Amino acid sequence: MLKVGLTGGIGAGKSEVSRLLAGYGAVVVDADRIAREVVEPGTPGLAAVVAAFGEEVLTPEGTLDRPKLGSVVFADPEKLRTLNAIVHPLVGARSAELEAAAGPGAIVVHDVPLLTENGLAPLYDLVVVVDAAPSTQLARLTGPRGMLEEEARARMATQATREQRLAVATLVIDNDGPLEALEPQVRKVWEELTARASAPGASAPRASAPRSTDDGPT
């Protein structure tokens, strides 16, 4: 098994890279998706979030009101730490289950927004960073994703800097340009991953630890 950490700042295009890698045959373990699953109605995760933040973070239907919770935790670092302390262990446990189910010959890509921030790079055989300039990130967040500029800047400020992410990268995908320039780069990365997966020693066991999700509930 080849364990790959995939990361990038919000708005950098990591989700598109993850989608393309899955199309090539990677087993993608998406920390953000799992973070949503572990706080679905009826889960211990949602019960713990409500106990910490109150029923006002629920919609009338009883699901988690992510924008409301986001407005709370992004304005208060201590509350953000409280949320992460609830969600991260649950995500880690589920990620480990999915990795184990992938099989010994798989290329497992862990899509982890806060890989850099939480010092998780040593857990993987290599780290792929999807890179974009902060100005590009901001334009994507306030354009296609419809965020207010203040909200977008706040989200970016909770994450590692561009330089910090690049410092842990084994491979870098430049996503500052148009979408059509991305696929050829991802294809080359996949070729590199398959080559490494077939190299002697690629299946050596590595330690596991809880994976981190993005800062916040959205």
Side-chain angles (χ1 to χ4, degrees):
M1 178 184 294
L2 186 71
K3 300 181 184 181
V4 181
L6 174 67
T7 195
I10 185 171
K14 177 178 56 60
S15 296
E16 181 63 18
V17 171
S18 179
R19 185 189 69 79
L20 289 168
L21 289 172
Y24 288 132
V27 176
V28 175
V29 179
D30 186 332
D32 272 352
R33 181 176 300 173
I34 296 171
R36 286 166 169 75
E37 293 175 357
V38 300
V39 291
E40 288 179 349
T43 61
L46 183 58
V49 170
V50 172
F53 298 99
E55 293 193 359
E56 54 267 29
V57 299
L58 294 177
T59 67
E61 295 74 31
T63 61
L64 185 63
D65 187 333
R66 297 180 187 282
K68 178 64 177 293
L69 181 56
S71 68
V72 172
V73 299
F74 283 112
D76 187 328
E78 184 58 36
K79 290 181 179 179
L80 181 58
R81 284 190 288 271
T82 298
L83 177 64
N84 288 341
I86 294 169
V87 176
H88 289 181
L90 298 172
V91 173
R94 180 58 178 155
S95 296
E97 291 176 2
L98 294 173
E99 181 182 282
I107 297 176
V108 181
V109 175
H110 287 273
D111 184 334
V112 186
L114 295 187
L115 183 152
T116 306
E117 292 82 346
N118 289 303
L120 301 180
L123 297 179
Y124 308 104
D125 297 302
L126 71 160
V127 173
V128 177
V129 170
V130 184
D131 180 52
S135 58
T136 301
Q137 293 176 254
L138 186 62
R140 290 171 179 163
L141 294 174
T142 57
R145 291 179 62 168
M147 284 188 186
L148 297 175
E149 182 173 343
E150 181 180 1
E151 179 187 4
R153 290 188 182 277
R155 297 291 180 94
M156 291 169 63
T158 66
Q159 297 187 337
T161 66
R162 184 183 193 184
E163 291 73 22
Q164 288 169 331
R165 280 190 293 270
L166 291 175
V168 303
T170 310
L171 302 171
V172 177
I173 295 174
D174 177 6
N175 195 26
D176 240 352
L179 184 62
E180 55 267 24
L182 182 62
E183 196 278 334
Q185 294 186 75
V186 179
R187 184 171 62 249
K188 288 182 180 179
V189 165
W190 177 249
E191 291 170 355
E192 175 69 15
L193 297 182
T194 55
R196 292 186 183 227
S198 62
S203 297
R206 297 173 65 89
S208 294
R211 272 48 169 184
S212 173
T213 65
D214 195 359
D215 264 353
T218 57

